[in-house]
Amino acid sequence: MYRRSFLTGMFALGVGCLDPVDADAQADLLPSWNDGMPRRALLDFITRTTTAGSPDYIPVEQRIAVFDNDGTLWSEQPVYFQVAFAIDRVRQLAPSHPEWQTQAPFKSILAGDMAGLAAAGDKGLLEVIAATHAGLTTEAFTQIVKDWLASARHPRFNRPYTDLVYQPMLEMIALLQGNTFKTFIVSGGGVEFMRAWTERVYGIPPEQVIGSSGVVKFEMPQPDKPVLMKEPKVEFIDDGPGKPVGVNRFIGRRPVFAFGNSDGDQQMLEWTAAGAGLRFMGLVHHTDGVREYSYDRQSRIGRLDKALDEANRRKWTVVDMKHDWKAIYPFQLK
Amino acid sequence: MYRRSFLTGMFALGVGCLDPVDADAQADLLPSWNDGMPRRALLDFITRTTTAGSPDYIPVEQRIAVFDNDGTLWSEQPVYFQVAFAIDRVRQLAPSHPEWQTQAPFKSILAGDMAGLAAAGDKGLLEVIAATHAGLTTEAFTQIVKDWLASARHPRFNRPYTDLVYQPMLEMIALLQGNTFKTFIVSGGGVEFMRAWTERVYGIPPEQVIGSSGVVKFEMPQPDKPVLMKEPKVEFIDDGPGKPVGVNRFIGRRPVFAFGNSDGDQQMLEWTAAGAGLRFMGLVHHTDGVREYSYDRQSRIGRLDKALDEANRRKWTVVDMKHDWKAIYPFQLK
């Protein structure tokens, strides 16, 4: 997957640096996008902001593009993939935790009762995250995530979770990178969970991944052999109004381009939109129940309601997956 | 200053990319460094880690270099420059705060009683930081810092504080950047205070500046006009054991190169040293009371005691400012 992203990026680099996106070159760009409004808006934005002398020109160092992850760059159904990871890890750790057999919400997980887990709400989920994401070093955790990704399969598609990234979004990231936009992930997901694979899959390095985090502590169990221990305590939730806060903390510069898919991305898009000059705000609308999933205003996961109203009111770009994307996943490419 | 840094960087880029630092080219590199052990160790490290086929070769994406700021990249005496800023701001805000006339530690500041401020300790200092760094938007704060830097003068050198950066360290940063090391600042100083000037002065962009921070809140005082408000509450102290934690949080990758000057940098150097492969750990030792300041084990500001012992024990590079640096500040160059 990284190979594809890389090659597309190299191609975009050739076009983008010597001569910004123009009409002749456009036919070959973003091949998995149908020629609708979102594709045109994106190409128009890149042309106007990267062409020297354009009134909308944006200097290279200000070309900050931020992307939500779950539901924007990869799927998030039937549960956030990080929750699938946590569930598998509860099952794996259960032999050492006999108390979980009777203790909610672990009991529900071990009984395969997903409704029971859902009923435990955010509080229950945070308990599960704490139990499965803490008490080990940052490096051990990264290895566990990598091992899980190598073996776990998505229940519907029967493929590794990292196969379920959106091909059109990989093309968009590569095109932006090729035009010297610096691409960041800004996700409610755990930062260390994402960093284990985002460089390989998206070509986005760890230092450009912003997410929720737990407290980490520096310890020296043996002389000259320090470790960073993950503690079972939430430090920062990078969601909703936390997203512009995370952007400010990690990037320190207002983005000029932001893409999300849910109400949790609304404030990040608002913050981006409030900058001076031409800005791009986009939402992925999950309209394709056949090739992916169809959900929006009523969904518990990835609800898109208020942000959709705001996008319509303010003429932000809304991607209709069913109509705008020729392919959803890389494995669907011919 | 940025111009000089930029030009040195371009030069280094030419040498570094086509052909890693070699003996013939070395004479022109790091011109403000005398030909002692630190300069040689640095050039040797760059050659060994960037030459294809070298057993110590480090892939480009892993070339993460971290620098402390106060006392490592610019001076920190007679007080941290951010404290000088806070003191000036207390004086400026005093007319709106009649209660400060009788309230410690503000009373001490307004009376010019620096011993009184020092006696208030870290707790007093945090009160001053909260009163002077909060209650305004992130953008308003950045402008206030820029305005201060344009008018304030260092009491001894009678120059803008940003003139008091170390020329040899600017050369080192440019050389590393020219050899595709990604350079980060990891400082106990406030992240928003630093980001107001680090790109101009060091050529290090905001997204590569890590520091202490206060809580920031997303607010929408007018429709579609969001702001980020700085609150009077500490969020993260990026010092001592907090430095490797900050590195993990913001970069998510272990550095291969770390430079500091005080015990507050010890854990960051330890964390860097514990990585596999060739690593560079360096300390600036303030030995030049004539051209700059002389202080180490007993100093209240920038104490260098335990970290110096560890550096000596583990053969880390210790820069003797008096002997190793031909010039301290850019304005001393002929």
Side-chain angles (χ1 to χ4, degrees), chain B residues 74-85 87-88 91 114 148 151-164 292-293 301 329 331:
Chain B
W74 74 351
S75 290
E76 60 184 349
Q77 301 285 359
V79 294
Y80 294 124
F81 295 176
Q82 190 177 355
V83 172
F85 163 76
I87 288 171
D88 284 352
R91 292 195 183 116
M114 290 303 110
W148 179 77
S151 63
R153 294 292 178 270
H154 186 275
R156 172 173 160 194
F157 294 98
N158 194 30
R159 284 182 169 267
Y161 284 94
T162 47
D163 277 11
L164 302 182
E292 204 241 7
Y293 296 92
I301 292 168
Y329 301 124
F331 61 81

Side-chain angles (χ1 to χ4, degrees), chain B residues 7 40 87 101 128 132 142 183 190 199 208 221 288 327 330:
Chain B
L7 289 176
R40 289 180 195 180
I87 288 171
Q101 299 294 336
V128 174
T132 54
T142 298
T183 51
E199 187 160 41
Q208 287 163 224
D288 195 331

Side-chain angles (χ1 to χ4, degrees), chain A residues 40-299:
Chain A
R40 289 180 196 179
L42 182 70
L43 293 175
D44 180 60
F45 174 82
I46 293 179
T47 302
R48 289 166 67 185
T49 54
T50 62
T51 304
S54 160
D56 298 313
Y57 183 79
I58 298 175
V60 169
E61 71 275 10
Q62 291 174 31
R63 295 182 192 169
I64 303 289
V66 292
F67 292 86
D68 169 57
N69 184 44
D70 297 309
T72 300
L73 298 182
W74 73 351
S75 291
E76 60 185 349
Q77 301 284 0
V79 294
Y80 293 125
F81 296 175
Q82 190 177 356
V83 173
F85 163 76
I87 288 172
D88 283 353
R89 196 155 155 73
V90 164
R91 293 194 183 117
Q92 191 181 31
L93 294 173
S96 319
H97 291 272
E99 75 280 11
W100 286 355
Q101 299 294 334
T102 55
Q103 182 187 329
F106 302 97
K107 187 174 112 174
S108 305
I109 291 173
L110 296 175
D113 169 19
M114 290 303 109
L117 175 60
D122 283 352
K123 187 170 165 292
L125 196 56
L126 284 176
E127 282 177 53
V128 173
I129 297 288
T132 55
H133 287 59
L136 70 182
T137 68
T138 51
E139 289 180 333
F141 180 76
T142 297
Q143 193 55 53
I144 286 168
V145 174
K146 287 182 176 175
D147 292 346
W148 179 77
L149 287 172
S151 64
R153 293 293 178 270
H154 186 275
R156 172 173 160 192
F157 294 98
N158 194 31
R159 284 181 169 268
Y161 285 94
T162 47
D163 277 11
L164 302 182
V165 297
Y166 303 136
Q167 175 63 26
M169 298 303 285
L170 294 180
E171 293 169 5
M172 185 191 292
I173 288 173
L175 182 64
L176 287 165
Q177 289 176 346
N179 283 279
T180 60
F181 285 77
K182 204 163 178 179
T183 52
F184 288 81
I185 291 173
V186 181
S187 168
V191 68
E192 282 159 352
F193 177 80
M194 293 187 286
R195 284 172 173 166
W197 53 273
T198 47
E199 187 161 41
R200 173 175 63 85
V201 173
Y202 302 136
I204 296 181
E207 62 269 24
Q208 287 162 226
V209 177
I210 301 167
S212 298
S213 54
V215 171
V216 162
K217 205 172 160 196
F218 179 85
E219 294 181 3
M220 189 78 83
Q222 297 171 43
D224 298 344
K225 305 274 185 205
V227 296
L228 293 176
M229 288 297 294
K230 286 171 68 63
E231 311 229 308
K233 197 177 158 192
V234 170
E235 175 187 79
F236 178 58
I237 299 289
D238 188 49
D239 197 30
K243 287 206 177 191
V245 168
V247 164
N248 177 66
R249 180 180 309 171
F250 283 76
I251 308 178
R253 182 130 62 185
R254 192 193 297 258
V256 299
F257 183 106
F259 229 102
N261 79 301
S262 79
D263 286 358
D265 303 312
Q266 189 175 5
Q267 289 85 357
M268 180 167 76
L269 270 59
E270 288 171 343
W271 177 244
T272 302
L278 193 64
R279 297 293 179 259
F280 189 99
M281 283 64 62
L283 286 171
V284 174
H285 189 185
H286 292 262
T287 52
D288 195 331
V290 176
R291 294 185 300 174
E292 205 240 6
Y293 296 92
S294 178
Y295 59 98
D296 48 27
R297 295 184 189 274
Q298 305 301 323
S299 181

